Amino acid sequence: AQSVAQPEDQVNVAEGNPLTVKCTYSVSGNPYLFWYVQYPNRGLQFLLKYITGDNLVKGSYGFEAEFNKSQTSFHLKKPSALVSDSALYFCAVRDLSRGSTLGRLYFGRGTQLTVWP
Amino acid sequence: ETGVTQTPRHLVMGMTNKKSLKCEQHLGHNAMYWYKQSAKKPLELMFVYNFKEQTENNSVPSRFSPECPNSSHLFLHLHTLQPEDSALYLCASSQSQGWQYFGPGTRLTVT
């Protein structure tokens, strides 16, 4: 069965420090992987995706994510955190195996990132 | 967020009321979705429409009734809701298996 795990409910980091938000996944076929961000009282905004190719994916606002097939992980990273990065981050996976439902994304529970000034 | 709009942004309704949520996408996408986001719970996919046809209903109670008159519009009709239905309802759209664009959501409170 397809699933996504975000092991940390909360991540706290000081401004200027590097940040990592963890995500592991389980799919039966090849994964499409996504990161979304949600600011208070807003919908989810797309940050970046991995489909194929380079394992290091660069996205919006200076974020990047590294796909690791052997560890089935897709951790979100940023070299230098900003206070404005504070938000709720969701990892999601779409299974590309035969018979998978069009458009079905499996989301993690979300990780609240707080960046302290 | 600018490509998918949702109205109203906030809604308070009694358990005996009937109301509707509206979603419109201006991106030319063929697929549209309803999600429910409750506090402390994972995002729940409710319905999926592809070219106006419902392709997925994830065991959603019948008090939620979706309608998709065309690929740009999606409605969620609500009647006789329960307090536990209070949540943020998010609409999204995508072009086939591309990433999903989300609207800002409707914050629903059932009293």
Side-chain angles (χ1 to χ4, degrees):
Chain A
Q2 296 82 359
S3 67
V4 175
Q6 293 181 243
E8 302 156 316
D9 290 337
Q10 180 99 24
V11 169
N12 299 314
V13 64
E15 188 173 32
N17 283 1
L19 69 87
T20 299
V21 183
K22 296 180 181 177
C23 171
T24 58
Y25 66 90
S26 174
V27 295
S28 54
N30 294 319
Y32 270 4
L33 293 158
F34 302 82
W35 275 102
Y36 285 84
V37 60
Q38 185 178 32
Y39 297 98
N41 300 313
R42 305 281 290 277
L44 277 67
Q45 295 178 35
F46 168 79
L47 268 183
L48 51 81
K49 66 175 168 55
Y50 171 84
I51 302 175
T52 60
D54 195 347
N55 289 344
L56 185 63
V57 179
K58 294 189 182 297
S60 306
Y61 312 120
F63 283 93
E64 57 189 28
E66 186 168 10
F67 171 65
N68 188 316
K69 188 172 183 178
S70 62
Q71 296 184 5
T72 62
S73 67
F74 190 56
H75 300 331
L76 182 70
K77 300 180 180 183
K78 187 173 183 180
S80 179
L82 299 173
V83 173
S84 58
D85 293 330
S86 299
L88 187 58
Y89 290 81
F90 291 93
C91 181
V93 64
R94 174 182 289 137
D95 183 10
L96 292 180
S97 62
R98 199 173 208 175
S100 63
T101 304
L102 168 68
R104 178 68 186 262
L105 284 180
Y106 296 86
F107 283 88
R109 298 178 71 92
T111 298
Q112 179 65 47
L113 172 68
T114 301
V115 181
W116 301 97
Chain B
E1 179 175 313
T2 55
V4 180
T5 58
Q6 290 186 243
T7 55
R9 293 293 308 273
H10 300 273
L11 178 62
V12 179
M13 59 185 290
M15 290 189 285
T16 58
N17 291 160
K18 290 185 180 181
K19 296 285 184 183
S20 295
L21 309 185
K22 179 183 177 181
C23 175
E24 184 173 0
Q25 59 98 358
H26 313 274
L27 301 166
H29 291 165
N30 56 276
M32 297 187 77
Y33 316 78
W34 279 117
Y35 288 88
K36 177 184 179 182
Q37 186 177 28
S38 306
K40 309 294 185 185
K41 293 178 72 174
L43 207 60
E44 300 173 50
L45 178 65
M46 300 174 72
F47 303 103
V48 180
Y49 279 82
N50 188 29
F51 292 105
K52 302 188 301 178
E53 299 298 322
Q54 187 180 123
T55 58
E56 193 154 348
N57 175 340
N58 286 299
S59 304
V60 181
S62 59
R63 58 186 184 270
F64 295 91
S65 174
E67 179 189 1
C68 189
N70 54 62
S71 293
S72 299
H73 293 86
L74 185 64
F75 295 89
L76 188 63
H77 304 299
L78 316 171
H79 65 98
T80 59
L81 294 191
Q82 304 299 312
E84 60 264 28
D85 296 324
S86 298
L88 182 67
Y89 288 85
L90 293 165
C91 174
S93 71
S94 72
Q95 184 60 36
S96 298
Q97 292 181 338
W99 64 87
Q100 294 177 14
Y101 288 78
F102 283 79
T106 295
R107 174 68 62 186
L108 174 67
T109 303
V110 181
T111 61

